[in-house]
Amino acid sequence: MVPIQMVDLKRQYLKIKPQVDAAIQEVLENANFINGAPVQQFAQELQQYLGVKHVIPCANGTDALQIAMMALGLQPGDEVITPSFTFIATAEVIALLQLKPVFVDIDPQTYCLDPVAVEKAITPKTKAIVPVHLYGQTADMEPLMAIANKHNIPVIEDNAQAIGGTYTFKDGTVKKSGAIGQIGCTSFFPSKNLGCYGDGGALFTNDDALAAQIRMVANHGQSARYYHDVVGVNSRLDTLQAVVLRIKLQLLDQYITARRAVADAYDAGFAGIPQITTPYRAANSYHVYHQYTLQLNGASRDELQQYLQERKVPAMIYYPVPAHKQKMFANFGGASFQLPVTDTLTTKVISLPIHTEMDQDQLDHIISSVKSFLN
């Protein structure tokens, strides 16, 4: 059996090696390492894939979130509603810009923002809502957008884990995750469903004026070369990463299908086991399974993780300490937030390997190992 990894990027690369190697070699020969033609070609292709008017590439997913908040003109002291159960970057950029993170609880099934909790948290100082499409499932965007529109609050989608996912509205309209709010943000970190071979990110929007502002902020605040209208940052996707992403974007739907097949196998393998709650699939969301995360009931996840490690099965406990309990947010009133669902889930979830190259032998070994532990 091939050694099991959480994400097997080497095997994925080997399948596209000729295309990738040739594309990288072309960049090396042309020496257009920054803002080469492939960067804009990739942006245009991603626009078409997502069904948005503008894609603005940047250096990484954290920058994308920061640029989004800067482009919206958020000011120190403004409140930004976001979940605590997510990678720290989502809340970190809020604090970095001297905004105030307002952590709200999540839906116990999807692990995404609870719209009821969001509405309760809105104050006159609320200037943005940042839902996170966690583990590959789109948050419940229809009620979130209704709340945001009612209060005239922009929505920034953190789509780092769900690119390629979709959300279906009650009227039958289907939109890609990240293409619903005022701005969508994503990461192309290598392990993402659409990952490059270094760091990379992008922002999406259908608002022409906002797109212009995002481009300006991401490029030192320049409206024209050497004319700086606002304080900006230097954040760009390099050409080498763009050529890799162009190749992998053409395969993204295949990659998602492969991930969903792994999830199907896990679901079937763990069906009927009372100690396990498998990932919920919301009817209005097409789950792309960036992670496959079990919820354990009456079983120790630390002991399971150790047991799996002994059987050469990697397993990850993502976000064991939610953001509101991190030291970095102590001065933002982190301890004052009452998030019972978040606090419970962060002690119960564990993620199993899931990627595009998994084979049946690996799946059988993982499933039998988990069952063996529970028995």
Side-chain angles (χ1 to χ4, degrees):
M1 182 177 66
V2 176
I4 300 170
Q5 300 182 48
M6 288 298 292
V7 181
D8 196 337
L9 295 175
K10 177 68 176 291
R11 290 174 73 198
Q12 186 188 71
Y13 159 67
L14 291 175
K15 288 186 176 180
I16 54 175
K17 185 178 188 300
Q19 305 98 295
V20 169
D21 290 359
I24 289 175
Q25 187 62 39
E26 186 175 351
V27 175
L28 295 177
E29 290 175 0
N30 292 337
N32 291 325
F33 301 116
I34 301 296
N35 290 329
V39 177
Q40 287 311 310
Q41 290 166 344
F42 169 67
Q44 292 164 8
E45 289 158 3
L46 188 56
Q47 283 168 200
Q48 185 175 6
Y49 178 83
L50 295 172
V52 296
K53 290 178 68 176
H54 304 278
V55 167
I56 302 97
C58 65
N60 56 68
T62 306
D63 277 7
L65 291 162
Q66 179 179 335
I67 291 164
M69 295 177 198
M70 294 173 70
L72 287 169
L74 304 190
Q75 298 297 312
D78 287 349
E79 293 178 357
V80 179
I81 292 174
T82 196
S84 179
F85 187 31
T86 180
F87 182 59
I88 201 67
T90 315
E92 182 181 33
V93 297
I94 298 170
L96 181 68
L97 294 172
Q98 299 180 53
L99 312 172
K100 182 182 178 183
V102 176
F103 298 111
V104 303
D105 221 344
I106 52 178
D107 181 275
Q109 292 181 301
T110 66
Y111 309 159
C112 297
L113 272 185
D114 177 359
V116 174
V118 168
E119 184 144 41
K120 289 179 180 177
I122 291 174
T123 75
K125 291 185 176 181
T126 305
K127 301 302 178 182
I129 299 169
V130 186
V132 178
H133 304 319
L134 197 69
Y135 296 145
Q137 181 154 239
T138 310
D140 197 1
M141 291 302 294
E142 186 158 15
L144 285 172
M145 290 304 298
I147 293 164
N149 291 337
K150 182 173 76 171
H151 296 277
N152 196 29
I153 300 169
V155 171
I156 303 168
E157 295 177 73
D158 184 336
N159 196 41
Q161 298 187 17
I163 193 162
T166 61
Y167 181 86
T168 303
F169 290 79
K170 290 179 181 176
D171 66 0
T173 301
V174 179
K175 290 188 177 182
K176 292 283 190 184
S177 61
I180 302 169
Q182 277 69 31
I183 303 176
C185 300
T186 201
S187 164
F188 301 126
F189 187 79
S191 64
K192 302 299 185 190
N193 291 23
L194 178 60
C196 55
Y197 292 162
D199 262 325
L203 301 95
F204 330 130
T205 186
N206 287 306
D207 186 313
D208 296 343
L210 194 49
Q213 190 73 5
I214 289 168
R215 288 191 174 92
M216 188 160 58
V217 170
N219 187 28
H220 299 288
Q222 293 185 110
S223 56
R225 193 168 190 185
Y226 300 127
Y227 290 82
H228 305 270
D229 294 2
V230 297
V231 174
V233 298
N234 175 30
S235 186
R236 54 200 174 201
L237 181 72
D238 66 66
T239 311
L240 283 167
Q241 303 306 335
V243 297
V244 173
L245 288 166
R246 290 190 71 198
I247 293 164
K248 294 179 76 173
L249 178 59
Q250 305 307 313
L251 300 168
L252 179 56
D253 287 343
Q254 293 179 38
Y255 289 163
I256 291 169
T257 298
R259 286 175 172 273
R260 285 176 60 88
V262 172
D264 289 345
Y266 280 144
D267 283 356
F270 299 133
I273 299 176
Q275 300 103 312
I276 289 178
T277 300
T278 54
Y280 177 74
R281 304 189 192 202
N284 55 6
S285 172
Y286 183 76
H287 205 317
V288 297
Y289 288 100
H290 175 58
Q291 305 294 350
Y292 185 90
T293 303
L294 298 177
Q295 186 182 147
L296 296 182
N297 310 301
S300 168
R301 68 170 181 188
D302 292 336
E303 290 179 9
L304 173 59
Q305 186 181 39
Q306 179 62 36
Y307 182 83
L308 292 175
Q309 184 176 347
E310 292 167 359
R311 295 174 69 89
K312 301 190 184 317
V313 176
M316 290 293 293
I317 297 171
Y318 294 106
Y319 328 131
V321 181
H324 72 288
K325 291 188 173 180
Q326 298 282 357
K327 290 181 181 179
M328 68 189 294
F329 293 114
N331 293 334
F332 291 87
S336 66
F337 292 100
Q338 302 300 310
L339 310 176
V341 177
T342 296
D343 290 341
T344 298
L345 286 173
T346 50
T347 67
K348 298 174 69 175
V349 294
I350 185 168
S351 299
L352 300 179
I354 187 166
H355 55 78
T356 57
E357 310 308 312
M358 295 190 76
D359 57 44
Q360 194 61 49
D361 286 346
Q362 292 176 321
L363 287 168
D364 290 344
H365 179 64
I366 296 166
I367 292 166
S368 65
S369 296
V370 173
K371 286 182 173 181
S372 174
F373 171 79
L374 295 174
N375 290 333

